Structures are given as C-alpha cells and as structure tokens.
Amino acid sequence: MRHRFRYKPYRLPFRFPWRTAHGERREREGIYIRLEDENGRAGFGEIAPLDEFGTESTAEAAEICRALGDSPDDAQIEAVPLRFGCVRFALTASRTVAAPANTTARLPVAALLPAGRAALEVLPDKLEAGFLCCKWKVGVGRAEEEFGILDDLLSRLPDYVRLRLDANGAWDRRTAERWLARCAERPIEFVEQPVAAGNHDLLLGLAHDFPVKLALDESVVHLQAAREWQARGWPGIFVLKPALAGPLAELIDWARTTKPDLVLSSSLETALARAQIIHAVLAHDLTTRALGFGVGDIFGDRRWDGPFLGTLVDTGWVNAVNPEELWNAMN
Ligand code: MG
C-alpha cells in the first residue's frame, strides 16, 4: 500500500532551561509526521530524538523523512533501519488505529524535582499538589553537597511519598559506591543509571552488592538493549522512554511476554507522542510504578504540553489530546 506522507520539523523553546548530568537544554527539536493511507485515513506521529541518549539526531531523522518522499509504500516504511528508534516509533504510531481507551486504570505520576538545592524550593508545592512519588536529578553538583540536600529532602517527605534518584550515568565507581551505601540506609525507591551506560560489569556488580534497587535508563534506550540486559540477568528496573525505544507495539509485546519491572518515562516529547504512550501504558497495564511524565509544563504552551497533568493520569488526559489539532497548529 502507498501512503501520502508529510512532515513538519519543529523547534520549541523550553519555558526554563532543562538541567541534567548531560548538560543544559533550552529547546526541543523534533518532527511531526502525517501518514494517510489509500482509504483516506490519516494518522499522526512525533519524532522526538534526544541525541545525548544515543538516538539518531533530528537532522538524521529529517533526512529519513526526505528520503521517504511524498508517497512511500509499506516496504519503504518498514525498511527504516533499527538504529532510528525515534523515527520507527513515530511511523508505527501514525499507522496504528488506537483502540478507544476503555480502561478505568489510573497511574500515579512522578513529580520531577530540579537538580541541586532548587529541589528543596520546589518540593513543598509538589507535596501540596498531592504527588505520591518524586524524582530528583543527582550527579549534577558535588556529591558531598548533594548528600546534604538528599537528607534535607528525605526529612521533609511524608512516609507515603517515594523518592527516586537519577544520576544520568554521571558517577564513577567510587562515587556510585558511596551513594549506594548511603541509599542503603534510606527509603529510596530506586537509583537510576548510577554509572555510564556501557559499564555492563560495573552495573551488574553494583546491583548485586547494594540492597537499593537500581534502574537502567541510558543503558536501554532501544528496546533491543533492554532485551540484551534481560538476557544478562539484570535484577533491577528498566526505565524506557517509549518515544526513543522503537515501535510501541514491540514494547507492549515485550512487556506483556517477559513482565519486566518497568518504568515508562518522558523524553520531553510534546503532547502528541505523550498521549500515544500513556494510552498504551493504561490500555495494556504495562506497569504499576509511577510514570516518569511529571515533567511539568516544559513548553509553557498548553498545545504542546497538553492538558494539565496532575498527580494521577487516566484516559481522560489521553482523550483530551487531539493529534490532528496539534498537527494543524504546528507552524
Ligand atoms: Mg533517567
């Protein structure tokens, strides 16, 4: 079957700079796509790469879009190489007729706390709003300073609120060991990507040596990498950013078949891809852990942030996002 294919590259400024151990981001580049089949049914998708995570770049994704031309056939679409996880996510999403989300499932959303002392300033608002889970970015400042902030944070958290830490791979072995020894005595839900993605033996060693749960994020950008870590016997959690991981249907199939301990997380995509992901998570019951989508209003524009995302998300949020409206609104 041939399709009509169009795409719109976008560049959207963030409301505030986005700081992690990878550095600072001030804007998000991506591509909206529209694919219409021979019966006139149109679907929409979003390519939202994060090249610091080792995905294709937006420029490379645009090159693929150019190469697909105005009327690609199924074979051309399916021939997009595996490495282009973001492009494959968007193409598949735009060809999938999502079943109406008839589920009453709801999931908690993890509130993201900014790196450094700013976390302490933001925390009271998050608790007041009723978040049941918070995530704090570490590995940005000096460990000694962050240890102090961690204890200040924990002293202000009610017992029923969980705290996860995300080092974005910034620690060396010694720093990771010091952190994990500290976390062993504290109520931490899990520590995400303590050391760099490629350190297989060190990651497995740390996971076995310390009682705190560890999660892989940068190590498992593509679904294929998650499969490989499963085969290595990873005993912890997998944090997947579905917009980077490849076709959503493959992720769903993997999760339902192998039952990994899974956290689904945002890659700072707009509401278009986010709604497709949250729909899948709720409709297929992929996890019970809080979703990593509490990134707040990162664009400061309701169109791209989507409806206000509170402490719990259900299909009401998904159904309030209209992909065609977003496509039309994008320059
Ligand atoms: Mg992470």
Side-chain angles (χ1 to χ4, degrees):
M1 186 190 281
R2 286 213 168 263
H3 304 264
R4 284 187 58 204
F5 177 64
R6 289 177 59 201
Y7 66 99
K8 294 180 178 179
Y10 68 76
R11 182 187 289 254
L12 299 170
F14 286 145
R15 195 158 64 108
F16 299 112
W18 183 266
R19 274 178 76 210
T20 70
H22 293 296
E24 192 176 279
R25 258 184 183 271
R26 293 177 171 273
E27 61 180 19
R28 205 250 185 273
E29 279 186 293
I31 303 171
Y32 273 8
I33 66 170
R34 180 184 188 280
L35 203 61
E36 184 181 322
D37 67 19
E38 285 168 349
N39 304 316
R41 194 198 70 83
F44 301 88
E46 177 176 357
I47 303 170
L50 286 179
D51 45 18
E52 67 265 38
F53 275 70
T55 68
E56 69 267 43
S57 67
T58 306
E60 287 175 308
E63 196 50 51
I64 295 271
C65 292
R66 251 192 304 280
L68 286 173
D70 295 336
S71 57
D73 60 19
D74 289 334
Q76 277 173 284
I77 291 170
E78 276 145 31
V80 172
L82 277 180
R83 184 171 82 76
F84 291 84
C86 306
V87 175
R88 295 176 71 236
F89 166 84
L91 283 169
T92 317
S94 68
R95 297 170 80 191
T96 307
V97 184
N102 286 326
T103 169
T104 54
R106 295 196 303 175
L107 274 178
V109 173
L112 189 69
L113 304 176
R117 296 209 80 81
L120 293 165
E121 290 156 31
V122 171
L123 183 67
D125 287 347
K126 301 296 183 191
L127 295 180
E128 180 68 26
F131 282 97
L132 301 172
C133 179
C134 293
K135 167 161 142 174
W136 182 43
K137 292 281 183 185
V138 292
V140 179
R142 286 188 316 111
E144 300 305 335
E145 193 185 335
E146 290 183 342
F147 286 158
I149 302 169
L150 174 67
D151 283 342
D152 286 347
L153 279 171
L154 287 172
S155 72
R156 294 171 200 192
L157 279 187
D159 288 346
Y160 56 84
V161 178
R162 314 190 84 177
L163 182 67
R164 23 177 101 158
L165 306 181
D166 187 359
N168 287 111
W171 297 331
D172 57 21
R173 171 198 291 269
R174 197 173 132 57
T175 310
E177 287 171 347
R178 287 171 64 214
W179 266 101
L180 297 180
R182 285 205 145 228
C183 291
E185 299 154 4
R186 290 165 174 78
I188 301 294
E189 185 188 6
F190 60 80
V191 177
E192 201 169 309
Q193 201 68 49
V195 300
N199 283 334
H200 300 168
D201 293 344
L202 180 53
L203 282 161
L204 282 165
L206 293 170
H208 285 115
D209 289 349
F210 293 92
V212 60
K213 269 216 180 275
L214 300 187
L216 300 174
D217 179 3
E218 281 86 344
S219 289
V220 291
V221 175
H222 284 115
L223 180 58
Q224 182 52 30
R227 288 200 174 101
E228 288 162 13
W229 275 95
Q230 235 173 8
R232 281 183 203 113
W234 176 247
I237 296 166
F238 296 87
V239 179
L240 288 181
K241 296 173 162 50
L244 311 182
L248 204 42
E250 290 178 19
L251 192 161
I252 293 166
D253 189 49
W254 170 75
R256 291 180 67 99
T257 314
T258 69
K259 304 262 183 282
D261 191 346
L262 195 56
V263 171
L264 283 312
S265 180
S266 163
S267 53
L268 309 178
E269 63 286 293
T270 74
L272 199 163
R274 186 167 305 175
Q276 292 168 336
I277 294 164
I278 293 177
H279 175 270
V281 177
L282 294 172
H284 297 280
D285 203 13
L286 299 185
T287 182
T288 55
R289 290 198 186 263
L291 294 173
F293 283 88
V295 292
D297 292 339
I298 47 178
F299 300 107
D301 181 324
R302 276 271 83 86
R303 289 174 301 178
W304 318 126
D305 286 319
F308 175 74
L309 185 58
T311 60
L312 291 166
V313 68
D314 60 21
T315 52
W317 191 91
V318 173
N319 295 334
V321 175
N322 182 330
E324 184 162 17
E325 270 176 30
L326 290 177
W327 166 264
N328 290 333
M330 189 60 86
N331 46 50

